[in-house]
Amino acid sequence: MKKSLMILTLMSVLVGCEEATNAMNQAQDAANQAVSHVQKTVESVDLSQLHFDQLGDAAQSAKDFAGSVEKMAKTDLTDPTAVVDATEHIANAYRCFMDAASEATAEGLLDKVLSSVQDKDVAALIEQSAEKAKHLKSCAS
């Protein structure tokens, strides 16, 4: 009887260990997928080809806009608060750039930025932000 009870206890412990191992493997897989997504998103924006020095007095506001786009690329898109903050930052930076340059120049830069963005979700958020910027009365420095 003791032997049977001991074997039964041991089997229960082994089954519990296997379930815990499976849960840990699933958590590890989920973490790896999340890291992979973040890495792909960060790699999806390449603004190194932009030449801000050609924009004269508007160069700094163009850099600020590009910086806000890079920040968006690093934003966790599953966090609604972070997405709202990033899109508002892009909208304001884009408005400031439109004020410093012109709407046509800003649209040209926006097109170049969008062509360098590979993640469709990030690109859509950038476009929405730029559209929102057109309705802002002024930029908030």
Side-chain angles (χ1 to χ4, degrees):
M1 178 76 174
K2 273 186 171 180
K3 205 174 196 181
S4 297
L5 187 58
M6 188 178 239
I7 289 173
L8 186 58
T9 304
L10 234 138
M11 286 177 60
S12 297
V13 168
L14 289 175
V15 168
C17 288
E18 186 175 338
E19 289 175 5
T21 300
N22 288 339
M24 287 181 1
N25 287 340
Q26 289 174 346
Q28 182 68 37
D29 288 344
N32 287 341
Q33 288 175 354
V35 167
S36 176
H37 174 71
V38 167
Q39 186 174 7
K40 284 179 186 175
T41 302
V42 169
E43 292 171 352
S44 74
V45 177
D46 179 18
L47 302 177
S48 63
Q49 302 300 320
L50 301 178
H51 301 287
F52 298 111
D53 54 334
Q54 297 173 349
L55 298 170
D57 294 338
Q60 186 56 50
S61 58
K63 288 177 186 177
D64 292 344
F65 170 63
S68 67
V69 168
E70 288 177 333
K71 180 181 175 188
M72 170 60 83
K74 296 175 185 175
T75 298
D76 177 6
L77 299 181
T78 62
D79 180 355
T81 305
V83 171
V84 168
D85 288 347
T87 54
E88 287 178 357
H89 189 237
I90 289 174
N92 185 61
Y94 189 71
R95 178 75 235 179
C96 291
F97 181 56
M98 285 189 338
D99 291 349
S102 68
E103 189 168 344
T105 302
E107 286 179 4
L109 178 61
L110 178 63
D111 289 342
K112 287 179 183 178
V113 166
L114 289 173
S115 71
S116 75
V117 176
Q118 297 171 1
D119 186 295
K120 289 185 277 185
D121 295 331
V122 171
L125 290 168
I126 293 167
E127 285 180 298
Q128 290 172 3
S129 300
E131 199 55 42
K132 181 179 179 179
K134 293 175 184 176
H135 301 290
L136 295 175
K137 292 182 181 176
S138 63
C139 101
S141 298

